Amino acid sequence: TMDATKDVSIELDGGAKEGVQFLLLQGKPINEPVAQHGPFVMNTQAEIRDAFMDYQRTQFGGWPWPKDDMVFPQDKGRFALIDGKETRPPASTAESCSS
């Protein structure tokens, strides 16, 4: 936990050969219990077990691609595949999300 009212010093190891990037996020506490396991974050261990079972059963709706590590050309842009049909965001949304 970081205190946003205080300066924070971050130093890169002297032996580092390249610069680094990091992402700092903040949020307000929601005062709810937290249970976490792997990629799942819920409120209870029972919800974690349910999430694992849902994932094992459906992989959250299934993976429609022939390979687990599918990579599309960058110029394809943003799209979703729903019921076998590709959909794209409106042009104004796609432009604002690509920067």
Side-chain angles (χ1 to χ4, degrees):
T1 303
M2 296 176 72
D3 184 341
T5 64
K6 296 187 172 126
D7 289 341
V8 175
S9 175
I10 300 174
E11 296 181 22
L12 186 59
D13 181 89
K17 304 235 185 282
E18 298 178 15
V20 299
Q21 295 180 351
F22 69 95
L23 175 64
L24 177 63
L25 302 173
Q26 72 175 22
K28 293 181 179 180
I30 58 174
N31 297 319
E32 292 184 9
V34 175
Q36 182 269 332
H37 188 89
F40 302 103
V41 180
M42 302 292 202
N43 294 117
T44 67
Q45 288 298 322
E47 290 174 335
I48 294 287
R49 284 190 296 277
D50 289 345
F52 267 103
M53 287 189 296
D54 287 345
Y55 177 75
Q56 289 170 342
R57 188 178 71 253
T58 69
Q59 294 199 341
F60 295 131
W63 184 251
W65 317 115
K67 301 185 327 185
D68 286 343
D69 59 349
M70 232 19 231
V71 177
F72 295 95
Q74 189 170 7
D75 62 356
K76 184 173 179 73
R78 293 183 60 201
F79 72 97
L81 184 64
I82 302 170
D83 294 328
K85 181 180 176 187
E86 284 189 13
T87 60
R88 299 183 183 285
S92 61
T93 303
E95 290 168 7
S96 65
C97 293
S98 64
S99 51

